[in-house]
Amino acid sequence: MTAPLPTTITLHKASRTLELGYADGKQFSLAAEYLRVMSPSAEVRGHGKPVLQTGKQHVALVGVEQAGRYALKLTFDDGHDSGLYSWDYLYQLSTEHEQLWQAYLKQIADAGASRDPHTSTVRLLH
């Protein structure tokens, strides 16, 4: 099954969110941090070994452009711009937001890492 195409795409710079609207009336608002840590890029996906993204709590989206007829290219203020977010992937990120976000928060906690770029955590070995 192919995901529906968004009918509206709005970048809200002040709230650092990307809003997607669909013909069936569904609306989704995705935070820049969420989109950044879930990037489909090789840098994040790690060629089969995902790289946990930390310190992205305050990241902002600075650009959105269509990539062909199948995706969006998002540019973030930390310089990341290599992920192409297909329509299917954006719809998955929208409809599975809660499960994906909770899994990410668990990974951060399990790693003893932080979403805050100004915080570093040191784990002591026992």
Side-chain angles (χ1 to χ4, degrees):
M1 183 178 156
T2 301
L5 296 177
T7 54
T8 60
I9 300 167
T10 307
L11 171 58
H12 297 281
K13 289 186 178 183
S15 63
R16 296 189 317 243
T17 58
L18 184 69
E19 184 178 305
L20 303 171
Y22 293 88
D24 64 2
K26 290 182 181 170
Q27 294 270 96
F28 300 100
S29 183
L30 304 175
E33 177 189 12
Y34 175 66
L35 291 165
R36 176 64 179 84
V37 302
M38 297 295 175
S39 173
S41 70
E43 174 188 328
V44 174
R45 295 266 172 107
H47 300 289
K49 188 172 193 266
V51 177
L52 181 63
Q53 301 297 296
T54 62
K56 303 300 180 189
Q57 186 173 30
H58 306 295
V59 74
L61 269 167
V62 294
V64 178
E65 60 186 87
Q66 189 169 339
R69 293 181 177 214
Y70 67 95
L72 289 181
K73 179 180 180 182
L74 304 181
T75 303
F76 298 88
D77 67 355
D78 67 353
H80 183 74
D81 68 354
S82 60
L84 294 180
Y85 295 74
S86 71
W87 303 129
D88 288 344
Y89 188 56
L90 283 168
Y91 195 73
Q92 177 188 7
L93 289 176
S94 298
T95 59
E96 298 176 20
H97 180 276
E98 188 60 30
Q99 306 92 292
L100 293 170
W101 184 245
Q102 291 305 315
Y104 170 72
L105 293 177
K106 183 178 182 328
Q107 288 177 319
I108 285 280
D110 291 349
S114 177
R115 294 172 47 221
D116 186 339
H118 305 294
T119 301
S120 294
T121 303
V122 176
R123 284 192 154 180
L124 301 176
L125 302 175
H126 295 122

